[in-house]
Amino acid sequence: MIPPIPILADYGISPEHGFLPDVLPLTRLPDPYYNKWEAVAANLQSLILSKRLRGVIDRLPVLSTIGLEHDAEWRRAYMLLTFFAHGYIWGGDTPQERVPPSISAPLLKICEHLEVPPVSTYAASVLWNFKPLFVDENIDDLDNLATLTTFTGSLDESWFYLVSVAIEARGGPIIPLMLEAVAAARKGDAATVTRCLQGFAERLDDLGELLHRMHEMCDPSFFYRRIRTFLAGSKNMAEAGLPNGVIWDDGTGKSDYVQYSGPSNAQSSLIQFFDIILGIEHRPTGEKADAPESDREGRMRGPTHNFIQDMRRYMPGPHARFLNDISSVANIRQFVESRAQTDRPLALAYDACLAMLRSFRDIHIAIVTRYIILPSRENRARSRSRSPEVVRSRQNLATASKNAAHKKVKGTGGTALIPFLKQARDETSEPAVEKWTQKYMNRATRSTGQNDFFLGKASEEEVVDEPVVEHGLAGTWNIDDDVGGICLY
């Protein structure tokens, strides 16, 4: 029996705004009972800057969640308390491994209600952390958005979150569009499938333009040195000062250490939806496309990389269930492959979607290089020029030590950042049905005349004499090409 096509309303997904809430996030909890939380939120940046946040949170009473009624209130409470928690953990001279009951007790109940882990996630920092400047204008317009809460109070941090908000909003209509395509494919309606794929490709091009705008208002150096600190999770943070993770002390005396990844764009349900609906497979990093079929998952089951699967644990429960259910009905790739030889417009529309998604991932790789890879190497170069004592005294909480780099830390979800992203990009073009399309998307581009004449061109494949290990965003990143992956935990 063919599974029914999921109904968006059953998962709290908006046909207009996708995984963003259909009701705008609250700018304040309406019940005065939560005024103390709102007071901390209003002064969060100043409390972090003056290093007084921990003292204020330690004195907060343990508030009940009984006053939270509508979903929007639960979401705002989760967003506030996770920001408070990350500020509490990372906002001092050394990280704090115990989060007091004033935060932990209500947060754990909120997380159970929303089906999210007790850590800041993509949902907390992006999906539920925005407001329109003008309510009568669209929220897919990046110039009409503002954040509700940030750690630093900087425009750079707000912009970093808001680019993703705009992408989610602009990409939202793709979801019902492609569900229509799934239904049409079941009926053998190639014309409708072609039209839907063409619309998908056009929207993907728009999303790439939005992602390109990251450079406009977010400075790479400021992001690397100031913002990333507070985005660190608690997984594999021994070298940053959390060898066991953190304790969410609920006041019962029975709380244990736990470890979670921090917020990551890999937690975006929208991007995973794109892969699933187009039938794109993501293998464990380093595994080639010609690996034995017995060692791989079935074609139509969607992403199989364990890091990608693990990131669904950080999505709101209904969103993760939606992705799982979509995997069982996705039929576009199979439909296109069965008609590619006789229906050229259909094949071209499908390949156009793959090309646009690959281009989107190219832009993402460029941003990661500029905001993470290059600053990390600059930081390492500066560290080498200082004495060991100076390096130790200035070590950032969210930056791995030189000792950690020599350990070549590896994790179950994969490791090196750039190899993972490049493989994910290359896998995007693999289902292309036209040979010329595959050749075009896999072409090697070479830039000339853009490097320093005297220093020469630095090779992309340059061998680094020691691995660069980075903490932050989604955990610990080992930028070491001989390992593969994205996130250590």
Side-chain angles (χ1 to χ4, degrees):
M1 185 175 179
I2 301 176
I5 297 174
I7 300 173
L8 297 183
D10 294 343
Y11 306 88
I13 299 172
S14 165
E16 292 83 20
H17 304 139
F19 297 99
L20 294 173
D22 200 24
V23 177
L24 288 173
L26 296 176
T27 59
R28 188 178 182 88
L29 290 171
D31 192 334
Y33 176 72
Y34 298 108
N35 282 350
K36 286 185 170 59
W37 287 358
E38 294 293 350
V40 174
N43 296 279
L44 182 62
Q45 299 84 21
S46 298
L47 291 172
I48 290 175
L49 186 63
S50 62
K51 297 184 180 180
R52 301 184 65 178
L53 178 64
R54 288 178 180 172
V56 169
I57 288 179
D58 286 337
R59 294 191 297 272
L60 276 179
V62 178
L63 300 183
S64 170
T65 59
I66 194 171
L68 302 174
E69 298 180 0
H70 304 292
D71 287 343
E73 296 173 22
W74 288 92
R75 290 191 289 258
R76 176 162 178 82
Y78 172 72
M79 185 269 290
L80 291 180
L81 293 182
T82 52
F83 267 83
F84 297 169
H86 278 242
Y88 188 92
I89 294 169
W90 297 108
D93 293 329
T94 58
Q96 177 61 254
E97 66 178 9
R98 173 189 166 277
V99 182
S102 58
I103 298 297
S104 299
L107 178 59
L108 292 174
K109 293 181 179 179
I110 292 168
C111 290
E112 183 179 0
H113 178 86
L114 294 174
E115 300 179 72
V116 288
V119 67
S120 184
T121 59
Y122 182 84
S125 56
V126 174
L127 300 182
W128 303 337
N129 186 31
F130 73 94
K131 66 178 180 180
L133 296 175
F134 300 95
V135 294
D136 58 338
E137 296 182 12
N138 295 328
I139 61 172
D140 66 351
D141 181 359
L142 187 50
D143 299 320
N144 187 44
L145 293 172
T147 51
L148 299 176
T149 304
T150 64
F151 296 105
T152 63
S154 65
L155 181 61
D156 304 72
E157 185 181 355
S158 289
W159 192 258
F160 178 72
Y161 303 145
L162 294 176
V163 168
S164 292
V165 173
I167 288 173
E168 293 284 339
R170 189 73 59 86
I174 294 174
I175 303 173
L177 180 71
M178 293 311 295
L179 293 184
E180 180 185 355
V182 170
R186 288 184 173 185
K187 299 175 182 178
D189 185 355
T192 298
V193 175
T194 301
R195 173 179 58 80
C196 292
L197 287 170
Q198 290 170 344
F200 187 5
E202 292 173 1
R203 282 272 170 168
L204 281 172
D205 190 35
D206 291 342
L207 301 189
E209 291 300 317
L210 285 171
L211 187 58
H212 250 310
R213 297 188 62 185
M214 179 65 73
H215 308 288
E216 289 184 15
M217 306 297 288
C218 184
D219 178 70
S221 178
F222 185 85
F223 169 80
Y224 182 81
R225 292 177 173 81
R226 295 290 305 279
I227 299 172
R228 289 173 60 256
T229 300
F230 298 102
L231 298 176
S234 55
K235 271 192 174 180
N236 202 23
M237 287 293 172
E239 294 298 331
L242 297 177
N244 303 308
V246 298
I247 297 175
W248 297 95
D249 184 358
D250 60 3
T252 63
K254 300 178 181 179
S255 303
D256 295 323
Y257 284 100
V258 293
Q259 297 185 11
Y260 294 104
S261 297
S264 165
N265 280 353
Q267 296 165 10
S268 168
S269 301
L270 182 68
I271 303 302
Q272 290 208 24
F273 172 80
F274 294 164
D275 285 333
I276 294 170
I277 206 66
L278 292 175
I280 297 169
E281 302 175 29
H282 289 300
R283 300 176 296 277
T285 307
E287 182 179 300
K288 304 300 182 181
D290 56 358
E293 193 67 27
S294 60
D295 295 337
R296 298 167 57 190
E297 295 283 339
R299 167 172 292 183
M300 302 311 297
R301 293 177 60 88
T304 59
H305 191 283
N306 48 7
F307 170 72
I308 292 175
Q309 289 286 352
D310 186 69
M311 287 298 99
R312 293 190 191 178
R313 298 172 49 230
Y314 296 84
M315 299 174 184
H319 295 178
R321 285 193 292 276
F322 173 73
L323 294 181
N324 292 335
D325 292 344
I326 282 294
S327 298
S328 66
V329 302
N331 59 2
I332 302 300
R333 177 177 175 180
Q334 185 180 33
F335 181 78
V336 172
E337 288 178 341
S338 68
R339 295 169 178 254
Q341 300 302 319
T342 58
D343 194 334
R344 188 168 178 79
L346 175 66
L348 290 175
Y350 178 74
D351 283 359
C353 291
L354 299 180
M356 291 299 98
L357 186 54
R358 180 186 170 98
S359 176
F360 182 85
R361 287 190 157 123
D362 273 328
I363 299 170
H364 184 212
I365 289 173
I367 289 176
V368 168
T369 300
R370 186 179 181 190
Y371 283 76
I372 300 293
I373 307 301
L374 296 181
S376 73
R377 290 178 177 175
E378 293 172 3
N379 187 63
R380 188 165 57 116
R382 283 195 298 270
S383 297
R384 285 173 172 171
S385 67
R386 303 171 183 154
S387 66
E389 291 75 14
V390 173
V391 173
R392 284 194 294 270
S393 66
R394 294 189 180 184
Q395 180 178 330
N396 187 285
L397 294 178
T399 305
S401 68
K402 189 174 182 181
N403 290 334
H406 283 297
K407 293 177 182 177
K408 283 196 174 184
V409 184
K410 301 180 182 180
T412 58
T415 44
L417 178 59
I418 288 298
F420 170 85
L421 295 177
K422 287 182 177 180
Q423 179 171 320
R425 174 200 62 194
D426 295 342
E427 289 164 345
T428 301
S429 61
E430 286 177 3
V433 292
E434 296 279 354
K435 290 185 178 180
W436 71 267
T437 309
Q438 290 181 338
K439 183 177 180 180
Y440 173 78
M441 286 193 285
N442 292 315
R443 74 196 189 283
T445 57
R446 187 177 186 87
S447 59
T448 57
Q450 298 180 7
N451 298 278
D452 191 291
F453 177 80
F454 298 100
L455 296 179
K457 179 178 175 64
S459 173
E460 185 180 8
E461 304 299 329
E462 177 183 3
V463 178
V464 183
D465 58 350
E466 66 182 52
V468 180
V469 180
E470 294 301 332
H471 293 274
L473 288 183
T476 309
W477 296 341
N478 185 356
I479 308 166
D480 184 14
D481 290 346
D482 65 355
V483 191
I486 186 173
C487 178
L488 296 178
Y489 31 86

